């Protein structure tokens, strides 16, 4: 994990090294080990390093192998043995000990901008090719790593940290009203290529950026496939291949003997933990694997302590509990150490900071089970059955249904009820349109139309697993990944997501839905004896309540309904019509919606303060 920054001047003006050093130094919290800059003429890169893998002990950035092509990267490359072999076959001097950024640079030297066809993993990088006078940037397939840039005519600025880009004097503080509107309507920006600031854009997931003094383009380099089809003769082959891929996905994200896991009592995160324990035992003579679980003991019915405890005991690993019953929503500026770069719901900042410190004291990486519900989306057998019927494979369908009925003593879940609702355009409960929006401002931006469009069911893209495909390609995931990124948390902790492994996802989208996908059958079979039976066979259970809603009902939260709006808030919000939250029972989404005005108020308060503090902080770093 690293902090990266780059400046390129199209008019050949020399890069301001002091500015580059200050921007690099701003990211020291996410890369405390080494901070370095490189500048040559009109191009400069900065990098802050956090060593998280065994190979990163030899990592040095900004990096070049020929003084003509330079790279700065925040990257973890997966499938290293295959990539290394391909590069060696083409004469590149790489070995199993070569750091990940070096592999990316060598891949570029061999394949040019087509190197992305050979790379998997989580990455955000920029390459300056002085031979072509070209800047080449890319973001990974699912957007795990953030990438921001400002294209300001003669100046181009990039970083994986939004507030770092804001430090450049040519980047204005002008807000992007549509992004602010999306936060107020939906809780996060619905546009994958913009930010809350008019001058700063996002490079979307699975996109590359190519800049030269004469041209600029952003283009998609990859799309999640819809045509995968895998059929084995024996059931055991599905189990064997899935376990192989799970071990690859988890193993590529370990690569160190000190590992933390966000582990609930559910099947997804506990499976990741079990595989991690196996791999660490096989790879290291000693290791430190610990689970971290947030629980509620009083506020709401919660069984996570019990089930996660069973797994920790079964695997013989330590588990640390964060008890969240007494969490409070932060009241004001004095309680928030850092403002989030973009508007976000005011949260349990102080408690989360304390929790992160405990984790980072033990490890610099934390595994997560996020994405398990996406790849195993239980959308029923409707689309799968329809697909087999259209292909003329009725015999196959009947055999699979019969086999499932005999082995499980129930029919496969068809999902017909959901399809009927879909055809009749009967939607589930929809959160209400915010009543407190400034009507004039909302009408000028046609926000009611934007609101209505957001709830239109998207076109089905996958013939067999449309809901899983829609989930995995949702714009929500890059937003969630960024929420855990050190650019927001300011903690030197990298969160990794094995279920977003490209190899694993391709496999699970291509195998038979009956029986392997339904109710996570394949995962449950593979976890036999690896997890306690109570956890392995535990059905998916919905949350028994929403903690924020319940916290807001308590008398100590009366201040939420009496916050003082800053003058700028009136542009977006009619403060007088915000419903009271304290002491009232409300549907979960309503509570979250009505917290957005006060959240925006906090963010606007911090905006100028954080920027002015950042501008005044000077850092001195080593140069090359």
């Amino acid at each position: 994990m690293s902090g990266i920054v780059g400046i390129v001047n199209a008019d050949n003006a020399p890069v301001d090294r002091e500015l580059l050093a200050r921007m690099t130094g701003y990211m020291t919290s996410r890369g405390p080990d080494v901070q370095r800059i490189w500048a040559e003429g009109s191009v400069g890169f900065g990098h802050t390093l956090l060593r998280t893998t065994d190979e990163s002990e030899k990592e040095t950035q900004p990096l070049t192998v020929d003084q003509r092509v330079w790279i700065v990267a925040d990257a973890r490359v997966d499938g290293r043995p295959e990539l290394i072999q391909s590069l060696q076959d083409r004469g590149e001097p790489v070995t199993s000990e070569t750091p990940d950024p070096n592999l990316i640079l060598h891949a570029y030297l061999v394949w040019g901008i087509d190197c992305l066809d050979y790379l998997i993993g989580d990455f955000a990088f920029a390459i300056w090719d002085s031979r072509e006078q070209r800047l080449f940037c890319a973001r990974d397939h699912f957007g795990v790593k953030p990438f921001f840039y400002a294209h300001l005519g003669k100046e181009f600025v990039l970083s994986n940290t939004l507030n770092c880009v804001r430090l450049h004097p040519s980047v204005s503080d002008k807000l992007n009203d549509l992004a602010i509107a999306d936060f107020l309507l939906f809780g996060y920006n619905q546009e994958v290529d913009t930010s809350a600031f008019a001058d700063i854009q996002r490079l979307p997931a699975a996109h590359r950026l190519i800049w030269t003094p004469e041209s600029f383009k952003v283009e998609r380099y990859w799309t999640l496939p819809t045509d995968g089809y895998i059929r084995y003769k024996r059931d055991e082959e599905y189990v064997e291949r899935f376990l192989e891929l799970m071990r690859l996905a988890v193993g590529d994200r370990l690569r160190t003997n000190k590992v933390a896991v966000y582990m609930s009592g559910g099947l997804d995160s506990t499976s990741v933990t079990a595989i991690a324990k196996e791999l660490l035992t096989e790879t290291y003579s000693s290791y430190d694997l610990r689970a971290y679980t947030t629980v509620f003991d009083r506020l709401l019915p919660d069984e996570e302590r019990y089930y996660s405890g069973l797994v920790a005991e079964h695997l013989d690993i330590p588990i640390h509990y964060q008890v969240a019953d007494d969490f409070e929503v932060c009241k004001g500026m004095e309680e928030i150490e850092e403002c989030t770069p973009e508007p976000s719901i005011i949260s349990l900042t102080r408690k989360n900071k304390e929790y992160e410190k405990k984790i980072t004291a033990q490890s610099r990486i934390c595994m997560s089970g996020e994405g398990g519900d996406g790849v195993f989306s239980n959308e029923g057998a409707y689309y799968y059955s329809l697909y087999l019927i259209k292909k003329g494979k009725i015999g196959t369908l009947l055999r699979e249904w019969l086999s499932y009925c005999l082995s499980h003593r129930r029919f496969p879940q068809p999902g017909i009820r959901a399809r009927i609702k879909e055809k009749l355009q009967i939607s589930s409960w929809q959160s209400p349109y915010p009543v407190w929006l400034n009507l004039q401002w909302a009408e000028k931006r046609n926000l009611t139309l934007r609101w209505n469009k957001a709830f239109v069911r998207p076109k089905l893209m996958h013939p067999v697993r449309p809901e899983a495909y829609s989930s995995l390609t949702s714009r929500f995931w890059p937003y969630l990944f960024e929420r855990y990124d050190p650019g927001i948390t300011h903690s030197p902790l990298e969160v990794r997501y094995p279920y977003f492994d490209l190899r694993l996802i391709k496999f699970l989208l291509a195998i038979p839905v009956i029986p392997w996908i339904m109710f996570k059958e394949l995962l449950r079979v593979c976890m036999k004896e690896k997890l306690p039976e109570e956890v392995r066979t535990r059905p998916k259970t919905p949350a028994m309540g929403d903690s924020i809603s319940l916290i807001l009902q308590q008398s100590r939260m009366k201040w939420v309904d009496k916050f003082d709006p800053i003058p700028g808030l009136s542009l977006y919000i009619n403060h007088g019509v915000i419903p009271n939250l304290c002491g009232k029972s409300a549907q979960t989404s309503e509570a979250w919606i009505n917290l957005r005005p006060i959240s925006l108020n906090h963010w606007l308060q911090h905006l100028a303060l954080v920027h002015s503090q950042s501008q005044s902080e000077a850092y001195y770093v080593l140069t090359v």
Side-chain angles (χ1 to χ4, degrees):
M1 185 189 74
S2 307
I4 65 173
V5 60
I7 300 173
V8 184
N9 295 326
D11 59 359
N12 292 321
V15 167
D16 183 338
R17 295 177 68 92
E18 183 179 345
L19 171 63
L20 181 61
R22 187 165 67 251
M23 295 174 73
T24 303
Y26 176 78
M27 300 183 294
T28 299
S29 63
R30 70 181 301 157
D33 292 332
V34 183
Q35 300 86 43
R36 303 178 69 200
I37 67 169
W38 160 81
E40 187 174 283
S42 60
V43 182
F45 284 157
H47 182 264
T48 66
L49 173 65
L50 178 75
R51 293 190 173 96
T52 59
T53 66
D54 296 337
E55 301 83 12
S56 63
E57 290 299 321
K58 298 181 179 180
E59 183 176 326
T60 300
Q61 293 191 61
L63 169 72
T64 184
V65 295
D66 61 2
Q67 300 300 315
R68 297 184 297 172
V69 181
W70 288 79
I71 186 173
V72 64
D74 176 17
R76 190 203 66 255
V77 174
D78 296 339
R80 284 171 52 90
E82 296 80 7
L83 178 60
I84 289 170
Q85 186 62 59
S86 295
L87 290 171
Q88 289 176 339
D89 291 344
R90 289 159 177 80
E92 294 298 306
V94 296
T95 69
S96 60
E97 297 181 351
T98 301
D100 292 342
N102 301 58
L103 292 180
I104 296 174
L105 183 57
H106 281 284
Y108 175 81
L109 293 174
V110 171
W111 296 295
I113 63 173
D114 292 331
C115 65
L116 294 167
D117 296 339
Y118 301 85
L119 297 176
I120 58 174
D122 303 335
F123 52 78
F125 66 80
I127 292 175
W128 172 250
D129 190 335
S130 63
R131 305 166 304 178
E132 303 288 338
Q133 289 293 292
R134 178 175 67 195
L135 180 70
F136 169 56
C137 309
R139 188 178 182 188
D140 63 76
H141 302 78
F142 296 104
V144 175
K145 299 290 189 180
F147 192 105
F148 303 95
Y149 67 92
H151 190 205
L152 306 167
K154 294 181 179 180
E155 298 170 305
F156 188 90
V157 187
L158 68 94
S159 179
N160 61 347
T161 306
L162 190 150
N163 275 344
C164 178
V165 178
R166 291 184 61 217
L167 290 178
H168 195 285
S170 296
V171 176
S172 75
D173 285 341
K174 182 181 178 182
L175 298 181
N176 173 6
D177 270 5
L178 199 55
I180 304 299
D182 277 354
F183 168 70
L184 294 173
L185 289 173
F186 310 109
Y188 63 96
N189 189 356
Q190 299 292 292
E191 302 296 332
V192 297
D193 57 352
T194 68
S195 79
F197 298 93
D199 284 350
I200 303 176
Q201 281 71 51
R202 275 180 170 82
L203 184 62
H207 278 67
R208 62 189 176 196
L209 179 157
I210 301 171
W211 178 99
T212 70
E214 297 80 26
S215 64
F216 171 78
K217 66 177 178 179
V218 173
E219 59 188 10
R220 176 177 285 277
Y221 67 81
W222 174 85
T223 301
L224 185 62
T226 61
D227 57 352
Y229 187 83
I230 295 174
R231 295 297 182 273
Y232 297 132
K233 291 183 179 179
R234 299 181 299 109
D235 285 353
E236 292 78 9
E237 292 180 83
Y238 293 102
V239 176
E240 292 165 2
R241 180 57 176 161
F242 176 70
L243 271 176
E244 178 186 1
L245 291 173
M246 274 290 286
R247 287 171 61 87
L248 285 173
V250 175
D252 279 348
R253 287 160 177 79
L254 289 177
R255 294 164 58 185
T256 180
N257 66 344
K258 293 182 179 180
V259 182
V261 184
Y262 287 134
M263 191 183 80
S264 69
L267 189 61
D268 301 331
S269 59
T270 54
S271 298
V272 168
T273 310
I275 297 293
K277 171 72 183 288
E278 283 186 359
L279 293 171
L280 289 168
T281 303
E282 295 169 8
T283 307
Y284 298 96
S285 58
S286 63
Y287 58 86
D288 185 359
L289 173 66
R290 303 183 196 180
Y292 295 85
T293 306
T294 299
V295 298
F296 292 92
D297 290 333
R298 305 183 312 276
L299 193 64
L300 52 82
D302 183 19
E303 297 179 310
E304 297 311 297
R305 180 187 286 273
Y306 172 71
Y307 284 107
S308 61
L310 288 179
V311 176
E313 182 180 3
H314 182 85
L315 298 177
D316 191 25
I317 62 172
I319 185 167
H320 301 269
Y321 294 106
Q322 177 179 231
V323 181
D325 295 276
D326 296 323
F327 277 8
E328 291 189 20
V329 176
C330 291
K331 293 183 179 180
M333 295 170 59
E334 71 282 356
E335 294 190 1
I336 302 178
E337 296 179 19
E338 293 281 356
C339 176
T340 55
E342 298 179 279
S344 63
I345 295 293
I346 54 175
S347 62
L348 318 168
T349 304
R350 288 178 299 170
K351 293 291 185 180
N352 286 341
K353 285 285 185 183
E354 293 169 8
Y355 198 43
E356 288 165 5
K357 286 179 180 178
K358 288 182 180 179
I359 298 174
T360 55
Q362 179 245 331
S363 175
R364 290 181 164 190
I365 70 167
C366 190
M367 308 291 272
S368 170
E370 289 285 0
D373 287 338
V375 292
F376 281 102
S377 178
N378 191 32
E379 52 209 301
Y382 176 83
Y383 288 110
Y384 177 64
S385 301
L386 189 63
Y387 173 81
L388 291 179
I389 291 171
K390 288 180 178 179
K391 292 292 184 180
K393 299 181 180 293
I394 298 177
T396 299
L397 177 62
L398 292 175
R399 284 194 300 273
E400 290 182 356
W401 272 69
L402 179 60
S403 175
Y404 189 91
C405 291
L406 292 174
S407 60
H408 292 74
R409 297 183 179 180
R410 65 171 183 262
F411 286 106
Q413 179 182 338
I416 294 176
R417 183 183 302 174
R419 304 291 79 79
I420 293 175
K421 287 185 175 181
E422 177 186 314
K423 292 293 183 182
L424 296 177
Q425 297 183 340
I426 301 174
S427 61
S428 56
W429 184 85
Q430 179 178 312
S431 56
Y433 184 81
V435 298
W436 33 253
L437 285 174
N438 180 312
L439 293 180
Q440 185 177 0
W441 179 76
E443 289 174 1
K444 184 177 180 180
R445 285 149 189 82
N446 207 1
L447 296 189
T448 53
L449 178 62
R450 189 170 183 82
W451 170 265
N452 291 328
K453 282 184 176 180
F455 296 98
V456 175
R457 185 177 176 84
K459 180 182 177 182
L460 301 182
M461 299 298 295
H462 197 283
V464 179
R465 304 281 312 284
E467 292 183 16
Y469 191 94
S470 177
S471 171
L472 292 168
T473 57
S474 167
R475 61 176 68 95
F476 171 77
W477 288 113
Y479 164 78
L480 181 138
F481 298 144
E482 288 180 17
R483 295 297 303 160
Y484 286 97
D485 183 79
I488 288 183
T489 66
H490 299 276
S491 296
L493 180 70
E494 180 173 343
V495 183
R496 297 177 177 174
Y497 308 89
Y499 286 108
F500 278 91
D501 186 275
L502 187 57
R503 299 159 295 188
L504 186 66
I505 286 176
K506 285 182 176 180
F507 173 77
L508 290 173
L509 289 180
I511 64 174
V513 171
I514 305 173
W516 300 118
I517 301 301
M518 305 195 72
F519 303 104
K520 301 184 179 180
E521 177 80 4
L522 185 55
L523 186 58
R524 295 182 191 277
V525 171
C526 290
M527 288 299 110
K528 191 169 185 179
E529 297 182 359
K530 298 180 187 296
L531 292 175
E533 281 298 288
E534 280 190 80
V535 175
R536 188 184 75 88
T537 59
R538 183 187 181 191
K540 179 71 176 177
T541 53
M544 299 302 292
D546 177 72
S547 58
I548 290 291
S549 298
L550 292 171
I551 288 172
L552 288 171
Q553 292 177 31
Q554 299 178 25
S555 59
R556 60 191 171 95
M557 299 302 299
K558 288 182 179 180
W559 67 268
V560 173
D561 296 327
K562 300 177 181 179
F563 78 91
D564 294 323
I566 66 170
L569 189 68
S570 61
L571 172 65
Y572 312 101
I573 303 294
N574 182 354
H575 177 259
V577 299
I578 300 174
N580 286 339
L581 287 170
C582 182
K584 291 190 176 182
S585 177
Q587 294 205 42
T588 295
S589 60
E590 287 188 42
W592 284 97
I593 288 172
N594 292 325
L595 271 175
R596 291 172 193 162
I598 187 174
S599 300
L600 182 61
N601 193 62
H602 274 41
W603 185 75
L604 292 173
Q605 278 182 300
H606 275 267
L607 194 59
L609 175 63
V610 170
H611 189 51
S612 63
Q613 288 177 342
S614 300
Q615 290 282 21
S616 65
E617 292 173 351
Y619 298 86
Y620 295 92
V621 297
L622 298 175
T623 60
V624 293

